Amino acid sequence: MADLSLTGISKAYGDVDILKDINLEIRAGELIVFVGPSGCGKSTLLRMIAGLERISGGDLVIDGQRVNDMPPAQRGIAMVFQSYALYPHMTVRQNMEFALKIAKKSREEIDKAVENAARILQLTPYLDRLPKVLSGGQRQRVAIGRAIVRDPKVYLFDEPLSNLDAALRVATRIEIAQLKEAMPDRTMIYVTHDQVEAMTLASRIVVLADKGIAQVGSPLELYERPENEFVAQFIGSPQMNLLAGEVVTAGPQTTVKLVDGGTAVSHVPTTAADIGLRVNIGVRPEDLVLSTGAGLFTGTVEIVEALGEVTLLYFGEEMGAPHMIAKLPGIHADLRRQRVTLTADPAKVHLFAGGRSLLYR
Amino acid sequence: MEQLSYAAGTIVTGVFGCVAWFWGSNLILDWIWPSRGAHAGTNILRANMVRPWLFIGPAILFLAVYLVYPVFDSIWRSLHDAGGRAWVGLDNYRWLAGDAKFRESILNNLLWLLVVPAAATFFGLLAAQVTDRIRWGNIAKSFIFMPMAISFVGAGVIWKFVYDYRGEGQEQIGLLNAIWTAFGHPPETWLTIPFGNNFFLMAVLIWIQTGFAMVILSAALRGIPEETIEAAILDGANPWQLFFRIKVPQIWGTIAVVWTTITITVLKIFDIVFVMTNGQWGTQVLANLMYDWMFRGAPDYGRGSAIALVIMALVTPIMVWNIRNARREMMG
């Protein structure tokens, strides 16, 4: 049971800023996921919470106590590493009990904790084996077991599934979700670059970009109401289409005349002052539908990817990236080289000006 | 001048000879089985069967002449009398078993064996760990490694000066006596103090081998995955526990290789004792004893060879173990 509070946290190596002014309140029992592109500082932020990196500025408070200068072991945290970081010379049991032995716990207490963790993680038959004879998934479970036996207030996961193969990743992801379920009052912070992990596990997601927080919110909040173009394009796959245009009519509904020639209607409200404003409309590929009449986009389908359950249509290419992607349910293999018009439900059309969503102003 | 040109001539001949051999023999091979024409395929296969032997042939030949043959010759000599003529059976070994000086040598070798590898490995590990942490660690490392570049004879001479003795009242040029007398003690002849003098000799080898141990162990320490160390820090290990319970166990293999490598050097120890005490005052060791019998005064090839074989019998098992261990290390 622990609340975490990050106030104005920053990290710099010499003159190079890695993170600037991070403010975040984490409530006890939450599973917070840090996502972001490579090098956005998400692992660094986690390591600062763990105490493996010095905090350059700001305050880190766990349960009302400032812990900036507290040694890692006393912060009541446990961490699961991407590479498992098992002690190769120790058996599974020795790996799990190491922290308790260091803390000089009694033999009975240690045995109880280890056996309990082993039972939860189905590691009991492997307790006396060395890590090198275990499979990747088993090793990761030992790493998680090493955290469980310490019964920490806060669990930190640093890309724990990245070294596993695809099938095992799904299985272990579900195990972590079940683990969280079984420990509703424990706080977990989870770093990943995989948005599926983020969407499925998180109670709230923190999207990090450009040295700071781009948005914090529940997975569906980020999906449905992204605050900025970065989050809009980072969450969801294929990423959201952005089309440039100009506001022509304002009100509870906004009409945008697009540079490509189409017209888009959005439920994002605007005022008369916004008329003439240059905006980008954002519309997710899965929200686009074929239209027989007018639409927001008309173009020739260059590539068709029929995946069975859905079909991806790629339109026009600029600088290697498709100009527009649509994701239609079902099979539409016959649309290649066809000229089609696409439209979208006004409720699903986002508006961005200067990179920021017009919903949040 | 004559010696210089002689040495230069030898080097040139050697290098040129090697080049001529490898180049010429391969040329001849390609002439016998050319990689052209109707039988190019079979010719290349045949030539490739022979080619490795052209490269390792000289090494095998020289090993046989300078290593394998001497071993058998030594066995033969150890079973003959001083001049190598009359068969004496195991008499030389029987004599060895009863000889006081041989027993002293065995005991001293054992003492060297216990102290030097342990001390050199320990100091090497310490130096590796400490120099990794500090900014001027690399300079410190170079200094600690430097004695490795000095020959054992040179090191013996240098340390003889350290232990040098001048009569009381005279200026002490020996470092140890200079410090000793500065504290108000009378000067000592360190190398003649029974039993203790062994350790003064060992100090020289430890001084040399610490650098070797440090370099190898430093590389091993850096090879430890950083995450296991971070995990241990999160688990609450203090620096002491981190070192002895997480780092050292992960480099046991390397420590064993370093230890045994130094052990082999120690078993063969000769130069330092030869230069500094020549085995007097209770410092005799096997290799120097062998030298004494083999080449000094009236040489006794029988007894000398018997001692040589004892040294070989002691070194071989450690060597085999060492090579196996090193191989396992290399394969990870």
Side-chain angles (χ1 to χ4, degrees):
Chain A
M1 276 203 288
D3 297 316
L4 268 82
S5 154
L6 284 68
T7 317
I9 295 278
S10 66
K11 177 72 188 174
Y13 292 108
D15 292 337
V16 185
D17 287 323
I18 306 296
L19 290 167
K20 274 203 301 212
D21 196 29
I22 303 286
N23 293 292
L24 184 64
E25 295 290 332
I26 300 173
R27 294 179 294 276
E30 274 194 297
L31 200 164
I32 295 286
V33 174
F34 294 169
V35 287
S38 308
C40 71
K42 54 191 189 292
S43 280
T44 308
L45 185 56
L46 191 77
R47 290 165 60 82
M48 286 199 285
I49 296 171
L52 293 171
E53 299 273 357
R54 280 204 64 78
I55 296 170
S56 306
D59 294 317
L60 172 64
V61 175
I62 299 179
D63 264 354
Q65 196 183 2
R66 186 177 182 274
V67 296
N68 282 38
D69 303 312
M70 190 185 272
Q74 288 164 28
R75 295 186 183 189
I77 47 112
M79 184 155 164
V80 177
F81 292 82
Q82 175 180 354
S83 62
Y84 323 134
L86 301 181
Y87 310 128
H89 56 288
M90 296 187 192
T91 62
V92 170
R93 181 191 296 279
Q94 288 167 334
N95 260 287
M96 295 210 278
E97 69 189 14
F98 184 73
L100 301 181
K101 273 187 158 174
I102 296 279
K104 299 216 162 51
K105 292 270 165 50
S106 74
R107 191 69 248 176
E108 300 87 68
E109 212 175 330
I110 293 176
D111 286 342
K112 217 177 112 194
V114 169
E115 263 140 44
N116 181 41
R119 208 188 52 249
I120 295 172
L121 297 163
Q122 291 147 34
L123 284 169
T124 311
Y126 309 107
L127 275 178
D128 295 312
R129 300 202 189 162
L130 287 173
K132 66 178 173 196
V133 302
L134 302 181
S135 69
Q138 287 166 340
R139 285 181 206 183
Q140 192 52 279
R141 291 216 296 276
V142 176
I144 294 170
R146 209 164 55 178
I148 291 178
V149 293
R150 293 179 53 196
D151 194 21
K153 294 186 285 190
V154 183
Y155 285 79
L156 306 177
F157 293 89
D158 189 5
E159 308 208 19
L161 308 184
S162 298
N163 283 10
L164 302 176
D165 61 46
L168 213 46
R169 204 176 288 183
V170 174
T172 313
R173 195 176 77 210
I174 291 166
E175 275 174 33
I176 290 176
Q178 286 167 341
L179 191 70
K180 180 72 194 76
E181 200 104 310
M183 298 187 289
D185 58 343
R186 293 291 179 268
T187 311
M188 292 188 179
I189 303 176
Y190 189 108
V191 165
T192 182
H193 61 261
D194 181 320
Q195 51 162 302
V196 178
E197 280 170 35
M199 297 297 280
T200 53
L201 288 172
S203 48
R204 279 194 302 158
I205 296 177
V206 177
V207 182
L208 290 163
D210 195 24
K211 301 169 189 173
I213 294 179
Q215 188 174 358
V216 182
S218 74
L220 292 182
E221 254 166 37
L222 297 192
Y223 179 81
E224 289 171 344
R225 292 198 302 279
E227 273 181 41
N228 47 53
E229 286 179 2
F230 178 82
V231 174
Q233 293 208 301
F234 191 78
I235 303 288
S237 172
Q239 65 181 19
M240 184 186 280
N241 299 297
L242 292 178
L243 297 169
E246 197 182 299
V247 175
V248 285
T249 58
Q253 286 218 126
T254 306
T255 312
V256 177
K257 178 102 183 89
L258 296 172
V259 174
D260 292 332
T263 304
V265 181
S266 169
H267 278 173
V268 177
T270 44
T271 58
D274 292 324
I275 290 179
L277 182 68
R278 298 199 164 275
V279 293
N280 276 341
I281 69 145
V283 56
R284 295 193 182 277
E286 54 268 36
D287 293 334
L288 288 166
V289 290
L290 292 173
S291 160
T292 46
L296 57 82
F297 180 80
T298 303
T300 307
V301 179
E302 302 254 330
I303 299 167
V304 175
E305 287 182 341
L307 303 175
E309 54 165 336
V310 293
T311 301
L312 297 177
L313 307 179
Y314 293 81
F315 299 87
E317 216 166 288
E318 47 186 35
M319 311 227 286
H323 182 57
M324 182 89 172
I325 304 174
K327 191 187 207 175
L328 304 178
I331 299 170
H332 299 274
D334 54 336
L335 286 177
R336 187 166 141 78
R337 296 256 179 264
Q338 299 291 309
R339 197 162 173 81
V340 299
T341 299
L342 297 165
T343 185
D345 177 356
K348 302 286 176 67
V349 177
H350 307 259
L351 291 184
F352 301 98
R356 312 258 329 142
S357 170
L358 293 184
L359 256 183
Y360 293 85
R361 52 172 186 174
Chain B
M1 200 57 222
E2 196 188 329
Q3 279 165 325
L4 266 182
S5 55
Y6 186 71
T10 312
I11 292 170
V12 170
T13 315
V15 170
F16 183 75
C18 284
V19 172
W21 163 258
F22 289 119
W23 188 69
S25 63
N26 277 287
L27 205 67
I28 292 170
L29 189 71
D30 289 333
W31 176 70
I32 297 172
W33 286 304
S35 56
R36 292 182 296 277
H39 306 292
T42 42
N43 278 353
I44 288 171
L45 279 180
R46 276 194 197 135
N48 281 351
M49 301 262 280
V50 177
R51 206 179 306 278
W53 295 100
L54 296 181
F55 285 96
I56 59 170
I60 289 180
L61 181 77
F62 286 119
L63 273 178
V65 171
Y66 291 107
L67 211 69
V68 180
Y69 164 70
V71 168
F72 286 103
D73 190 57
S74 294
I75 295 172
W76 185 84
R77 279 173 192 275
S78 76
L79 301 171
H80 288 73
D81 69 354
R85 276 177 290 274
W87 171 268
V88 294
L90 293 176
D91 272 5
N92 285 325
Y93 293 97
R94 239 170 263 138
W95 163 81
L96 267 186
D99 186 55
K101 211 62 185 160
F102 176 73
R103 226 174 288 158
E104 177 195 312
S105 306
I106 287 274
L107 281 178
N108 281 343
N109 263 93
L110 205 65
L111 201 62
W112 278 74
L113 215 58
L114 288 177
V115 176
V116 176
T121 310
F122 174 76
F123 288 129
L125 191 59
L126 202 69
Q129 168 71 13
V130 172
T131 53
D132 254 2
R133 297 262 147 225
I134 48 181
R135 212 151 18 93
W136 43 277
N138 279 334
I139 298 169
K141 258 185 202 158
S142 324
F143 278 118
I144 296 170
F145 187 70
M146 230 175 249
M148 275 293 283
I150 301 172
S151 73
F152 285 7
V153 175
V157 171
I158 293 169
W159 279 79
K160 231 180 146 172
F161 281 119
V162 173
Y163 298 139
D164 199 70
Y165 169 83
R166 292 290 143 101
E168 204 163 354
Q170 281 178 280
E171 186 154 8
Q172 297 296 332
I173 67 155
L175 182 66
L176 194 56
N177 266 328
I179 296 169
W180 187 248
T181 51
F183 281 103
H185 303 284
E188 294 273 0
T189 51
W190 302 105
L191 291 176
T192 65
I193 301 170
F195 198 64
N197 51 6
N198 277 305
F199 294 94
F200 291 123
L201 298 188
M202 288 177 205
V204 183
L205 193 56
I206 294 169
W207 177 68
I208 295 174
Q209 295 291 335
T210 295
F212 162 75
M214 177 196 66
V215 168
I216 309 279
L217 293 173
S218 167
L221 281 176
R222 286 187 179 181
I224 295 175
E226 189 63 29
E227 277 98 351
T228 62
I229 293 162
E230 291 181 341
I233 292 172
L234 291 177
D235 275 347
N238 62 35
W240 197 256
Q241 290 163 326
L242 205 59
F243 185 64
F244 284 105
R245 294 175 68 174
I246 302 297
K247 286 187 178 178
V248 169
Q250 289 196 60
I251 59 165
W252 258 130
T254 311
I255 291 177
V257 168
V258 169
W259 190 294
T260 47
T261 305
I262 299 176
T263 298
I264 292 165
T265 312
V266 168
L267 273 172
K268 298 184 300 184
I269 188 62
F270 165 72
D271 330 44
I272 292 171
V273 176
F274 179 76
V275 170
M276 295 181 72
T277 63
N278 196 18
Q280 299 171 86
W281 311 298
T283 58
Q284 188 63 293
V285 290
L286 285 173
N288 196 49
L289 185 70
M290 176 201 80
Y291 180 85
D292 273 353
W293 281 102
M294 204 78 159
F295 304 111
R296 283 235 171 116
D300 187 326
Y301 295 135
R303 290 178 177 181
S305 300
I307 300 168
L309 286 170
V310 168
I311 298 173
M312 196 181 92
L314 291 175
V315 172
T316 308
I318 303 173
M319 195 93 118
V320 170
W321 192 78
N322 188 36
I323 291 170
R324 274 207 196 139
N325 229 336
R327 269 206 198 134
R328 205 179 318 138
E329 277 296 292
M330 256 189 289
M331 288 187 236

